[in-house]
Amino acid sequence: MQAIRKAGVKRIYKHGFEAMKLRSLAEDVGIQAGSLYNYIRNKEEFLFLLLKEVLEELLEGLERELAGIDDPKEALIRFINFHLRWHTARKEEVFIGNMELRSLSKQHLQEIIRMRTEYESRLRRILERGNEAGEWSVADPQVISYSIIASLTGVCNWYSPRGRLSQDEIIAIYTDHVLGAVGAR
Amino acid sequence: MQAIRKAGVKRIYKHGFEAMKLRSLAEDVGIQAGSLYNYIRNKEEFLFLLLKEVLEELLEGLERELAGIDDPKEALIRFINFHLRWHTARKEEVFIGNMELRSLSKQHLQEIIRMRTEYESRLRRILERGNEAGEWSVADPQVISYSIIASLTGVCNWYSPRGRLSQDEIIAIYTDHVLGAVGAR
Amino acid sequence: MQAIRKAGVKRIYKHGFEAMKLRSLAEDVGIQAGSLYNYIRNKEEFLFLLLKEVLEELLEGLERELAGIDDPKEALIRFINFHLRWHTARKEEVFIGNMELRSLSKQHLQEIIRMRTEYESRLRRILERGNEAGEWSVADPQVISYSIIASLTGVCNWYSPRGRLSQDEIIAIYTDHVLGAVGAR
Amino acid sequence: MQAIRKAGVKRIYKHGFEAMKLRSLAEDVGIQAGSLYNYIRNKEEFLFLLLKEVLEELLEGLERELAGIDDPKEALIRFINFHLRWHTARKEEVFIGNMELRSLSKQHLQEIIRMRTEYESRLRRILERGNEAGEWSVADPQVISYSIIASLTGVCNWYSPRGRLSQDEIIAIYTDHVLGAVGAR
DNA sequence: TATGAATGAGGGTTCATTCAT
DNA sequence: TATGAATGAACCCTCATTCAT
């Protein structure tokens, strides 16, 4: 099953979910297409479970990262750090999570959206707490949280482990950038 | 033909390019599927022409917006303004341009990428000119240009003409945000 | 379309509806399987339309046969005559109508059942009118109408145009049999 | 094994033999599909054995019912009685025996047909003996035997233990009906 | 006897595309 | 330019059946 998951992520990342043929996926793991159905109920649900698992791990990871952190600036820095690390390390899964939502059923889409919203709201609350603490003065925490997340997530469009910049360098650049944007440099 | 274009944009935006059936597209404009081929060569080329036209207008628009502007800060402000105005006004086409690249043939993809890169490079050069002019000090203009564009483009994921914020308010928020980020507030 | 219908009846009669492959049906009429879908919406609906048309013609035929007949005995004789003629002449379609109901969707099944019930009720009413007119005395017109119809319909299990008995001989035998059964010989 | 038989009869009666999935059948008796093959050789043979057993019991039952009866009228009455009792009590198995013959292999079909023919011939011989004894005068014993059996068997299309009529009432109606038909009321 | 994973052969259906009219 | 019937290649999914454990 883990092999199917892995092969699925690779294929979906490369060709898109609709273009991924179950026959090819099966071939990747060395079984017949029909045998896949011992592990998945259907193609759409397979995608859903993939995305759900990613989001669950993402949420848990963030939870752990922010546990016990009260200072808003420290929290923001950790958020940036965590988000970038995650979105470079598991770039493929993240990419799928942004691209293939349209292939989900209505029900499944709702659940995924719910989890994403929950994740995003963590950043919004950090920004709000910073406002309250006088750490910075962000005019519209909602919009700015979207802006920051979009900006950070964009990294997985061009990041490569063999690229010019290391993870740490990227994190440094973005951290400085975002802190400047909220006025907390 | 313009009717086909319009219907195409709507359908692709709503369900994705692969999920858009030519039969449905034909129905939208009141003809039979076969008749579409009097206007398009095939489905993939239809997508390509759509995207190309959008990018051409985008590039021309930016050209006009920045014509004769030498001051980097002024240029940056105008870039933000233009990009947001465009990405809220023609949100659907922009969205497609970000999502459906995978459905293009290799050749067509290259051409689209080239145009996108050209567009992005305008912002990078603005950032570089600001560095040279001492207007700000952006550590990595390449990365920061990606960051800014991702952040601005993200607006089309949530913007609605009937939403809480007007175009102008959104522009104000983002302009302040980005200027802060580069240290030119 | 009529060719498809004809080929469909033959195949369903011979191998059963579930066993009829659309590929074979298409082959029978000299087209590809996919082309069938220019004429039918899906396999199940094809069956439904087949059965519905048969039943419509059956009902219309009976209507015409009994039009203006008041005498119950005369009506009964005509019913027997009509039913047998129909069930020998269009034996295959009738057979399908009795065998393949289980392959219909709930909705379609209901509609077919409704038409069958309507047909059966004609005989029941003839029996009732005979009771009222003192022509005969049938204890339970409902049950007896079922019994008569089952008995007559059974003919299509063994009838063959090249068999020992002609249509007319069969009709004579059954007419005498049924009249005796209701006590009107 | 008896559990499988029972579950099989139920499923086949309800959805038809082709529509009965071995997976469902296995689920009904609380095992996996593969385990069924410890009890059956394959799906088709399972059906055959089902039908054969039913017909064997039917034949034996009739044998016992008619043993030592010489009088044709008495024999006819007993035949009607037996057939109806059987076809109401074991309606589901009988129904299958009439509907699912097409799913049998050629060999198996022949054997089943042989048994059915044997059963039917008992009635034909009763009618013939009645003719010889001057008890009645049936023009075509072959056809009339088919007619009577079809009429009686039809009862399992509408009979319900909780219906308007009891088994005994139904038997009374049919007996009177058939005796009238052969002219022996 | 039971499991459960695997097989492999389709089966219905879809859909971009073609082409004679 | 429009039609509509046809193509043909695939695709997802099903299911009886097998077999190592």
Side-chain angles (χ1 to χ4, degrees):
Chain A
M1 180 60 203
Q2 276 315 306
I4 299 176
R5 236 193 83 97
K6 235 175 200 164
V9 169
K10 239 177 212 147
R11 282 219 171 255
I12 297 174
Y13 176 71
K14 211 160 185 187
H15 309 101
F17 175 72
E18 299 232 39
M20 175 189 71
K21 302 175 244 178
L22 291 190
R23 270 176 179 77
S24 312
L25 179 57
E27 206 179 348
D28 287 346
V29 295
I31 58 175
Q32 292 288 115
S35 305
L36 284 177
Y37 287 80
N38 288 319
Y39 304 96
I40 70 176
R41 209 194 306 280
N42 56 54
K43 207 187 169 194
E44 187 271 338
E45 205 205 63
F46 176 57
L47 174 62
F48 169 65
L49 293 177
L50 225 69
L51 299 187
K52 196 180 118 184
E53 209 174 309
V54 173
L55 274 170
E56 278 170 355
E57 293 179 37
L58 185 68
L59 276 166
E60 282 169 26
L62 183 61
E63 206 74 44
R64 235 176 295 124
E65 187 77 23
L66 297 181
I69 307 299
D70 281 335
D71 181 40
K73 187 171 172 186
E74 171 69 10
L76 179 56
I77 291 171
R78 280 176 177 252
F79 181 93
I80 297 166
N81 192 298
F82 170 77
H83 191 91
L84 284 176
R85 226 167 264 289
W86 227 88
H87 279 66
T88 47
R90 304 184 64 174
K91 167 183 157 173
E92 298 182 353
E93 281 151 299
V94 165
F95 186 78
I96 293 172
N98 291 324
M99 297 292 283
E100 308 294 0
L101 297 188
R102 265 191 314 211
S103 297
L104 291 172
S105 72
K106 223 173 212 170
Q107 303 257 339
H108 287 159
L109 178 60
Q110 272 185 355
E111 187 159 349
I112 295 297
I113 296 278
R114 193 183 48 70
M115 295 175 84
R116 269 169 69 122
T117 305
E118 192 176 330
Y119 181 78
E120 292 165 355
S121 71
R122 303 295 165 98
L123 177 56
R124 201 199 58 234
R125 265 180 279 160
I126 291 173
L127 295 177
E128 287 167 351
R129 287 207 339 257
N131 273 352
E132 291 157 12
E135 184 80 65
W136 50 60
S137 171
V138 165
D140 195 311
Q142 179 69 273
V143 170
I144 297 304
S145 73
Y146 288 156
S147 163
I148 293 173
I149 286 178
S151 139
L152 297 177
T153 300
V155 82
C156 67
N157 289 323
W158 54 266
Y159 172 76
S160 157
R162 289 172 307 286
R164 174 167 60 89
L165 298 168
S166 71
Q167 265 192 338
D168 286 336
E169 288 169 323
I170 292 171
I171 290 173
I173 293 172
Y174 271 91
T175 303
D176 176 68
H177 183 67
V178 172
L179 288 181
V182 300
R185 188 146 33 200
Chain B
M1 180 57 203
Q2 276 314 307
I4 298 176
R5 234 194 81 97
K6 226 173 203 170
V9 169
K10 237 177 212 147
R11 280 217 174 256
I12 298 173
Y13 175 72
K14 212 157 185 190
H15 309 102
F17 175 72
E18 299 235 41
M20 176 189 71
K21 297 174 254 182
L22 291 190
R23 271 173 173 77
S24 312
L25 180 58
E27 201 182 355
D28 286 347
V29 296
I31 59 177
Q32 293 293 112
S35 307
L36 281 179
Y37 286 80
N38 290 318
Y39 304 94
I40 71 177
R41 206 195 308 279
N42 56 54
K43 205 185 169 192
E44 187 270 340
E45 203 206 64
F46 175 60
L47 175 62
F48 169 65
L49 293 175
L50 222 72
L51 299 188
K52 198 179 112 180
E53 206 175 311
V54 173
L55 274 170
E56 279 170 356
E57 293 179 38
L58 186 68
L59 276 165
E60 283 170 24
L62 184 61
E63 208 74 46
R64 234 176 296 123
E65 186 78 21
L66 298 180
I69 308 297
D70 280 335
D71 180 40
K73 186 171 171 185
E74 172 69 10
L76 179 56
I77 289 172
R78 279 175 178 253
F79 181 93
I80 296 167
N81 192 301
F82 171 76
H83 191 91
L84 283 177
R85 226 167 265 289
W86 227 88
H87 279 66
T88 47
R90 303 182 63 174
K91 165 183 159 174
E92 296 181 356
E93 281 151 298
V94 164
F95 186 78
I96 294 171
N98 290 325
M99 297 293 282
E100 308 294 358
L101 298 187
R102 254 186 329 205
S103 298
L104 292 171
S105 72
K106 222 173 210 167
Q107 305 261 337
H108 287 159
L109 178 60
Q110 273 183 357
E111 188 161 346
I112 295 296
I113 296 277
R114 194 185 47 70
M115 296 174 83
R116 268 169 68 121
T117 307
E118 193 178 329
Y119 180 80
E120 291 164 357
S121 70
R122 305 293 165 99
L123 176 57
R124 200 198 61 235
R125 265 180 279 159
I126 292 174
L127 295 178
E128 286 167 351
R129 289 206 337 260
N131 272 351
E132 291 156 12
E135 183 80 65
W136 51 61
S137 169
V138 165
D140 194 313
Q142 180 67 275
V143 170
I144 297 304
S145 73
Y146 287 156
S147 163
I148 293 173
I149 286 180
S151 139
L152 296 178
T153 301
V155 82
C156 68
N157 288 323
W158 55 265
Y159 172 75
S160 156
R162 288 173 307 284
R164 172 167 63 89
L165 298 168
S166 71
Q167 265 192 335
D168 286 336
E169 288 169 323
I170 292 170
I171 290 172
I173 294 171
Y174 271 91
T175 302
D176 175 68
H177 183 68
V178 172
L179 289 182
V182 299
R185 187 144 34 194
Chain C
M1 182 55 203
Q2 276 314 306
I4 299 176
R5 234 193 85 96
K6 233 173 201 167
V9 169
K10 238 174 215 150
R11 280 220 174 254
I12 298 174
Y13 176 70
K14 211 158 184 187
H15 308 103
F17 175 72
E18 299 233 40
M20 175 188 72
K21 302 176 244 180
L22 290 190
R23 274 173 176 79
S24 311
L25 179 58
E27 204 180 349
D28 286 347
V29 295
I31 58 176
Q32 293 288 113
S35 305
L36 283 177
Y37 286 80
N38 287 321
Y39 303 95
I40 71 176
R41 206 194 309 280
N42 55 53
K43 204 187 170 195
E44 188 271 339
E45 204 205 63
F46 176 58
L47 174 62
F48 170 65
L49 293 176
L50 225 70
L51 300 188
K52 195 179 118 184
E53 208 174 310
V54 173
L55 273 169
E56 278 169 356
E57 293 179 37
L58 185 68
L59 276 166
E60 283 169 26
L62 184 60
E63 207 75 44
R64 232 176 298 126
E65 186 78 24
L66 297 181
I69 307 299
D70 280 335
D71 180 40
K73 187 172 172 185
E74 171 70 12
L76 178 57
I77 290 172
R78 278 174 179 254
F79 181 94
I80 297 167
N81 191 302
F82 170 77
H83 191 92
L84 283 177
R85 228 168 263 289
W86 227 88
H87 279 66
T88 47
R90 302 184 65 173
K91 166 183 157 173
E92 297 182 355
E93 283 152 296
V94 165
F95 186 77
I96 293 172
N98 290 325
M99 296 293 284
E100 309 294 359
L101 297 187
R102 264 189 317 208
S103 296
L104 291 172
S105 72
K106 225 174 209 167
Q107 302 257 339
H108 287 158
L109 178 59
Q110 272 184 355
E111 188 160 347
I112 295 296
I113 296 278
R114 194 183 47 69
M115 296 174 83
R116 268 168 71 122
T117 306
E118 193 176 330
Y119 181 79
E120 291 164 356
S121 71
R122 304 296 165 97
L123 177 57
R124 200 198 61 232
R125 266 180 279 161
I126 292 173
L127 295 178
E128 287 167 351
R129 288 205 339 258
N131 272 353
E132 291 157 13
E135 184 80 62
W136 51 61
S137 169
V138 166
D140 195 312
Q142 180 68 274
V143 170
I144 296 305
S145 73
Y146 288 156
S147 162
I148 292 172
I149 286 177
S151 138
L152 296 178
T153 301
V155 82
C156 67
N157 288 322
W158 54 266
Y159 172 76
S160 157
R162 288 174 307 286
R164 173 168 61 90
L165 298 169
S166 71
Q167 264 192 338
D168 286 336
E169 287 169 325
I170 292 171
I171 291 171
I173 293 172
Y174 271 90
T175 304
D176 176 68
H177 183 67
V178 173
L179 288 182
V182 300
R185 187 143 36 197
Chain D
M1 180 60 204
Q2 275 314 305
I4 299 176
R5 233 192 84 97
K6 229 174 200 167
V9 169
K10 243 181 208 142
R11 281 219 173 255
I12 298 174
Y13 175 71
K14 210 155 186 191
H15 309 104
F17 175 72
E18 299 235 40
M20 176 189 71
K21 299 176 253 182
L22 291 191
R23 272 175 173 77
S24 313
L25 181 58
E27 201 181 354
D28 286 346
V29 296
I31 60 177
Q32 293 293 113
S35 307
L36 280 178
Y37 286 80
N38 290 317
Y39 304 95
I40 70 177
R41 205 195 310 278
N42 56 54
K43 205 186 169 194
E44 188 270 340
E45 202 204 64
F46 175 61
L47 174 62
F48 170 66
L49 293 177
L50 222 72
L51 299 188
K52 196 178 113 180
E53 205 174 313
V54 173
L55 274 169
E56 279 169 357
E57 293 179 38
L58 186 67
L59 276 166
E60 281 169 27
L62 184 60
E63 208 74 45
R64 234 176 296 124
E65 186 78 23
L66 298 180
I69 308 298
D70 282 333
D71 180 41
K73 186 172 172 185
E74 173 68 12
L76 178 57
I77 290 172
R78 279 176 176 250
F79 181 92
I80 297 167
N81 193 300
F82 171 76
H83 191 92
L84 284 176
R85 225 166 266 287
W86 227 88
H87 279 66
T88 47
R90 303 184 63 173
K91 166 183 160 174
E92 298 181 354
E93 283 152 295
V94 165
F95 186 79
I96 294 172
N98 290 326
M99 298 293 283
E100 308 294 358
L101 298 188
R102 256 188 326 209
S103 297
L104 292 172
S105 73
K106 221 171 211 172
Q107 305 261 336
H108 287 159
L109 177 60
Q110 274 183 356
E111 188 161 346
I112 296 296
I113 296 278
R114 194 185 47 69
M115 295 173 84
R116 268 169 70 122
T117 306
E118 193 177 329
Y119 181 79
E120 290 163 357
S121 70
R122 305 294 165 97
L123 176 57
R124 199 197 62 234
R125 265 178 279 159
I126 292 173
L127 295 177
E128 287 167 348
R129 289 207 337 261
N131 272 352
E132 291 157 12
E135 183 81 63
W136 51 61
S137 170
V138 164
D140 195 311
Q142 179 70 275
V143 170
I144 296 305
S145 73
Y146 288 156
S147 163
I148 292 173
I149 286 179
S151 139
L152 296 179
T153 301
V155 82
C156 67
N157 288 322
W158 54 266
Y159 172 75
S160 157
R162 287 172 308 286
R164 173 167 62 90
L165 298 169
S166 71
Q167 265 191 335
D168 287 335
E169 287 168 324
I170 292 170
I171 290 171
I173 293 171
Y174 272 90
T175 303
D176 175 68
H177 182 69
V178 172
L179 289 181
V182 299
R185 185 138 42 194

